[in-house]
């Protein structure tokens, strides 16, 4: 999944008005981010890629780009 | 907070060369254009289309959009928008129920304000009169419980006995809290059953313990369901059928990491049921099911295949259509009026219903059969006119996407059930949305189809009578008036919730409200029963009034549309005025509050001798000084058990 695909998915699924800059920002600084978004994002990524996402580790991540890196590495 | 670039630049563009945008794309376009608030009325049809097409992912995405909508702005821009306040509490993480709840309510035209309480605060929220659940403007208080509501209280290791005791204790606790809550709060309380998962039962390795645990778990759920039977203000959504339908109880990782003990799909299904419940509590229950015939009631096209080559039994596909007919019969047996709207010639279609050996449904099962070549939206309007009901009380089921689209476009108030070419799915599709849900079935409901059939006999009498007077004289109308008893509560409440045309103030009362008034010596709740030479109509009307010193104030008067224009309303008022005078009242006050549906009764109070007094906030007020009483029409026989009656 490319970075663009990922940000597209995040916008599409969560309907958050995210810019590319928001990828690297800490969640505390991302518009309207809450933990439920993470849960929905995991489901969406798994549906899209068919791969299991390591949720337990993901929860420790503090930014979308960290999540993206982890998903790409999986 | 990060600065974001223009939201317009961040929207997903519609797919190129798409002839018509999908409902989600259309919704996003409305949002991007900043028009979602002003054009909120367009949201419900878009959502209905998503559900009808089975696109649940898009529906969830639509929910995400709508939860971000500025509700106050919608209320300010469109003050007529129906609104609801739902307060949520529970044991686990419930954030993901917000989007589906918002979308489900919006789909039924209701703008939702949801108030999500603190995590795991359900006991405090139920108990504390200051909690958000108790706020006076809350319509529904949702208390969502999950398996961990029981499991967290057992400790480890545990044995079957521990579960038995925990389940009993928790049921007793919830029962007491629910009962106290209904005493204090105005909101309807919504609980749910808790599905049992294998990860619970199989923690016990011996079968005897496993069985005991399963029994205890189910008795907990049964106890909750009984709680709803005992308290009219408590509703229980049974989650077992949703799990049986394929919604996973939870996603184990989300349950473990995020304390989301109920899965997203299950919560989405729960949200759908909650919206049905909200619709039901507002009396927005559908009363008529209109079905297509070819490839809806039977396999094949009558006009092309001929009567001998259509099937609703004996073939594999035919059996599936037969099952669908049995479902329609089942719905009809509970008071929903059935009608056909089919592009066919009338005679051959009726011949099928009379003679074809496969048919479960026969001609007499239908209150109207419109087989013709007119557009279906026109047919639905015609059926509504003949039955004297609004098309907003109609559900329309058809296998043709074209016909469904035409009805949805032309009559957006009609609930459209879009069937397809797989008849085995017809049953599930018709049942998906609880269109006909009602709190309790009354005797009048069960008899309704027969009542409408006798209507045809009355129509014949009307045709043969030379004048309206002759017709009424021949009809032999009987009116029985008396204070409503406990056995009338459900029916009287139902009339107040569902009647739209002859409903003078639209004071809507749940059964518990009716009971309260019925038991209050200062209040009067009258049940109006009628009959004529063709049979009894049962309770067709109600009057709510209260004493204010030497004045009797009529809070509302309701009459079923089935019995209009037979002098029943005049008879009721005559008896009411006589009663008021005989019990020491010096005047009777009444009012009329206009709605979109009750315009025809605007002049009712003056027509029975009331004088207009004042008009405020659009409400018209009237007064009768009990000097010149209206008479019971000569063609009506009145039996009144009210004090002061002369009959």
């Amino acid at each position: 999944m490319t970075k663009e695909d990922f940000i597209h998915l995040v916008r599409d699924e969560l309907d958050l008005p995210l810019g590319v800059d928001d990828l690297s920002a800490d969640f505390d600084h991302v518009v309207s981010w809450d933990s439920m978004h993470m849960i929905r994002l995991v489901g969406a990524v798994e549906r899209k890629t068919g791969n299991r996402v390591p949720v337990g580790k993901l929860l420790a991540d503090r930014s979308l780009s960290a999540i993206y890196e982890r998903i790409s590495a999986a | 907070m990060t600065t974001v670039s223009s939201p317009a630049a961040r929207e997903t563009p519609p797919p190129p060369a798409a002839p018509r945008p999908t409902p989600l794309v259309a919704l996003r376009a409305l949002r991007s254009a900043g028009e979602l608030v002003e054009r909120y009325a367009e949201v419900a049809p878009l959502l209905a289309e998503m559900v009808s097409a089975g696109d649940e992912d898009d529906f969830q995405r639509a929910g995400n959009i709508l939860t971000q909508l500025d509700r106050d702005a919608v209320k300010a821009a469109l003050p007529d928008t129906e609104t609801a306040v739902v307060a949520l509490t529970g044991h686990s993480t419930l954030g993901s129920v917000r989007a589906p709840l918002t979308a489900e309510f919006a789909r039924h035209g209701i703008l939702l304000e949801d108030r999500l309480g603190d995590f795991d605060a359900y006991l405090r929220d139920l108990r504390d009169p200051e909690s958000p659940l108790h706020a006076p403007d809350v319509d529904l208080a949702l208390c969502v419980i999950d398996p961990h509501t029981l499991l967290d209280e057992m400790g480890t290791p545990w044995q079957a006995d521990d579960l038995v005791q925990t389940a009993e204790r928790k049921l007793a606790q919830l029962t007491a809290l629910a009962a106290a809550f209904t005493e204090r709060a105005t909101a309807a309380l919504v609980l749910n059953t808790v599905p049992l998962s294998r990860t619970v039962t199989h923690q016990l390795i011996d079968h005897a313990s496993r069985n005991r645990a399963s029994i205890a778990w189910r008795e907990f759920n049964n106890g909750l369901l009984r709680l709803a039977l005992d308290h009219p203000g408590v509703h229980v959504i049974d989650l077992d059928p949703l799990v049986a339908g394929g919604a996973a109880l939870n996603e184990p990782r989300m349950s473990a990491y995020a304390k989301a003990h109920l899965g997203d799909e299950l919560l989405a299904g729960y949200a759908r049921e909650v919206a049905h419940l909200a619709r039901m509590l507002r009396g927005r229950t559908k009363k008529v099911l209109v079905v297509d015939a070819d490839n809806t009631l039977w396999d094949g096209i009558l006009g092309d295949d001929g009567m001998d080559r259509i099937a609703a039994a004996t073939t594999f596909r035919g059996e599936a259509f037969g099952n669908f007919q049995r479902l329609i019969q089942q719905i009809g047996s509970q008071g929903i009026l059935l009608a056909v709207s089919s592009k066919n010639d009338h005679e051959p279609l009726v011949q099928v219903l009379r003679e074809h050996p496969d048919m479960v449904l026969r001609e007499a099962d239908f209150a109207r059969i419109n087989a013709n070549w007119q557009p279906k939206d026109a047919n639905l309007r015609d059926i509504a006119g003949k039955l004297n009901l609004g098309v907003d009380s109609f559900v329309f089921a058809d296998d043709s996407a074209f016909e469904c689209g035409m009805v949805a476009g032309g009559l957006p108030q009609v609930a459209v059930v879009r069937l397809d070419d797989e008849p085995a799915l017809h049953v599930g599709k018709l049942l998906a949305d609880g269109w006909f849900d009602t709190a309790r079935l009354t005797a009048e409901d069960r008899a309704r189809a027969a009542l409408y059939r006798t209507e045809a006999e009355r129509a014949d009498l009307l045709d043969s009578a030379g004048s309206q007077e002759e017709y009424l004289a021949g009809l032999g109308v009987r009116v029985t008036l008396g204070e409503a008893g406990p056995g009338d509560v459900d029916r009287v409440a139902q009339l107040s919730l569902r009647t739209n045309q002859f409903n003078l103030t639209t004071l809507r009362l749940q059964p518990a409200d009716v009971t309260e008034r019925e038991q209050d010596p200062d209040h009067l709740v009258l049940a109006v029963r009628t009959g004529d030479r063709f049979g009894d109509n049962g309770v067709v009307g109600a009057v709510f009034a209260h004493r204010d010193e030497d004045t009797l104030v009529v809070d509302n008067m309701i009459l079923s549309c089935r019995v209009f224009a037979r002098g029943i309303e005049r008879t009721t008022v005559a008896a009411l005025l006589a009663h008021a005078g005989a019990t020491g009242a010096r005047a009777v006050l009444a009012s009329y509050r206009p709605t979109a549906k009750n315009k025809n009764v605007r002049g009712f109070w003056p027509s029975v001798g009331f004088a207009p007094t004042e008009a405020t906030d659009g409400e018209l007020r009237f007064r009768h000084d009990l000097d010149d009483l209206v008479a019971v029409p000569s063609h009506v026989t009145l039996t009144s058990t009210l004090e002061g009656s002369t009959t």
Side-chain angles (χ1 to χ4, degrees), chain B residues 74-90:
Chain B
V74 178
K75 280 195 263 187
L78 307 167
D80 289 340
T81 306
E82 192 174 349
T83 59
V85 178
V86 170
L88 274 149
T89 190

Side-chain angles (χ1 to χ4, degrees), chain B residues 287-334:
Chain B
K287 301 169 183 171
V288 182
L289 170 60
V290 184
V291 287
D292 169 48
D294 292 329
N295 287 324
T296 295
L297 291 182
W298 53 71
D299 189 15
I301 296 174
L302 178 60
D304 295 344
D305 301 325
M307 180 156 136
D308 295 339
R309 310 239 343 244
I310 62 168
T314 67
T315 65
F316 286 122
R317 275 177 62 84
E319 296 279 4
F321 286 98
N323 287 340
F324 189 52
Q325 287 201 27
R326 270 183 280 280
L327 170 66
I328 295 170
Q329 184 186 46
Q330 172 72 15
I331 289 171
S333 75
Q334 296 166 88

Side-chain angles (χ1 to χ4, degrees), chain B residues 381-633:
Chain B
R381 270 195 217 98
D382 174 68
I383 293 169
K386 295 289 191 325
L387 296 176
N388 201 13
L389 291 167
V391 281
D392 60 343
S393 64
F394 278 36
V395 175
F396 171 68
D398 198 313
D399 67 297
S400 154
F402 170 78
E403 303 288 9
C404 287
M406 171 170 261
V407 170
L411 300 170
Q413 355 30 341
V414 173
V416 176
V417 177
R418 190 171 136 195
L419 308 173
D420 57 25
D421 55 3
E422 179 45 86
L425 300 178
H426 284 8
V427 167
K429 284 175 187 281
L430 183 54
L431 291 178
D433 278 311
W435 293 119
F436 308 110
D437 289 2
T438 183
R440 282 182 181 80
L441 219 55
T442 63
E444 282 77 7
D445 290 326
R446 291 198 173 85
R448 184 168 295 119
L451 295 173
Y452 273 84
R453 270 197 298 281
T454 55
E455 210 52 46
E457 297 169 31
R458 289 189 188 92
D460 290 343
L461 175 70
L462 180 58
D463 287 343
S464 64
S467 67
Q468 181 75 5
E469 287 73 27
E470 234 178 89
Y471 164 66
L472 288 172
L475 199 51
V477 178
R478 304 183 297 274
V479 174
T480 307
L481 201 67
E483 292 197 37
D488 301 320
V489 166
D490 286 338
R491 173 61 181 162
V492 166
Q494 187 187 60
L495 280 167
S496 99
L497 289 166
R498 287 200 202 171
T499 305
N500 296 314
Q501 298 182 63
F502 199 117
N503 190 334
L504 288 158
T505 64
T506 54
L507 169 77
R508 309 275 191 195
L509 297 172
Q510 299 292 337
D513 307 321
V514 175
T515 301
E516 201 175 300
R517 283 170 185 253
E518 179 221 320
Q519 291 171 348
D520 184 337
D522 288 337
H523 277 266
L524 194 60
V525 180
L526 302 184
V528 183
R529 288 181 169 74
T530 67
D532 55 38
R533 60 182 260 206
F534 295 105
D536 277 330
N537 288 313
V539 178
V540 294
V543 179
F544 302 97
H546 70 271
R547 283 271 173 187
D548 185 4
E549 296 180 352
D550 60 357
T551 307
L552 184 69
V553 182
V554 180
D555 300 310
N556 200 11
M557 177 170 164
I558 305 157
L559 195 65
S560 163
C561 54
R562 257 191 6 246
V563 296
F564 285 0
R566 294 177 199 169
I568 293 164
E569 51 273 47
R570 178 171 285 261
T571 303
T572 303
V573 172
L576 181 73
L577 294 176
H579 169 73
T583 52
R586 301 186 56 176
V588 177
L589 302 183
S591 52
Y592 163 78
R593 197 173 303 131
T595 68
K597 299 284 186 61
N598 70 356
K599 295 186 183 72
N600 289 343
V601 293
R602 185 184 177 90
F604 175 69
W605 291 118
S607 79
V608 286
F610 282 67
T613 53
E614 56 182 320
T616 41
D617 301 334
E619 179 172 314
L620 306 181
R621 297 212 172 86
F622 303 93
R623 179 186 176 92
H624 198 297
D625 288 325
L626 298 174
D627 34 19
D628 189 11
L629 298 187
V630 59
V632 173

Side-chain angles (χ1 to χ4, degrees), chain B residues 56 60 100 104 147 193-198 237-252 260-273:
Chain B
E56 298 294 334
Q60 167 81 31
E104 294 292 352
T193 65
V194 184
L196 174 58
S197 86
R198 188 174 183 278
I237 294 189
D238 194 352
L239 296 188
D240 276 348
L242 300 180
V243 172
L249 169 61
N250 64 27
E251 209 293 320
H261 299 311
L262 298 176
D264 279 0
E265 202 186 334
L266 182 58
L267 284 177
Y270 168 81
R272 183 156 294 174
E273 301 290 332

Side-chain angles (χ1 to χ4, degrees), chain B residues 302-382:
Chain B
L302 178 60
D304 295 344
D305 301 325
M307 180 156 136
D308 295 339
R309 310 239 343 244
I310 62 168
T314 67
T315 65
F316 286 122
R317 275 177 62 84
E319 296 279 4
F321 286 98
N323 287 340
F324 189 52
Q325 287 201 27
R326 270 183 280 280
L327 170 66
I328 295 170
Q329 184 186 46
Q330 172 72 15
I331 289 171
S333 75
Q334 296 166 88
I336 301 305
L337 298 175
L338 306 178
V340 171
S341 173
S342 168
K343 286 208 161 119
N344 264 305
D345 289 329
H346 184 78
E347 275 313 312
L349 186 133
V350 170
Q351 194 188 359
V352 169
L353 293 174
R354 283 180 190 155
E355 297 171 17
H356 197 293
D358 289 1
M359 295 302 133
V360 177
L361 293 165
R362 294 296 180 186
E363 186 185 6
D365 290 311
F366 295 99
R368 293 288 307 172
I369 295 173
N370 276 30
N372 57 44
W373 300 91
Q374 298 298 311
K376 294 219 173 177
D377 52 347
N379 267 301
L380 261 58
R381 270 195 217 98
D382 174 68

Side-chain angles (χ1 to χ4, degrees), chain B residues 52-71:
Chain B
S52 163
D55 207 335
E56 298 294 334
D57 284 343
D58 277 6
F59 191 71
Q60 167 81 31
R61 294 181 187 116
N64 294 337
I65 295 173
L66 295 172
T67 47
Q68 297 169 39
L69 184 63
D70 183 341
R71 298 181 187 98

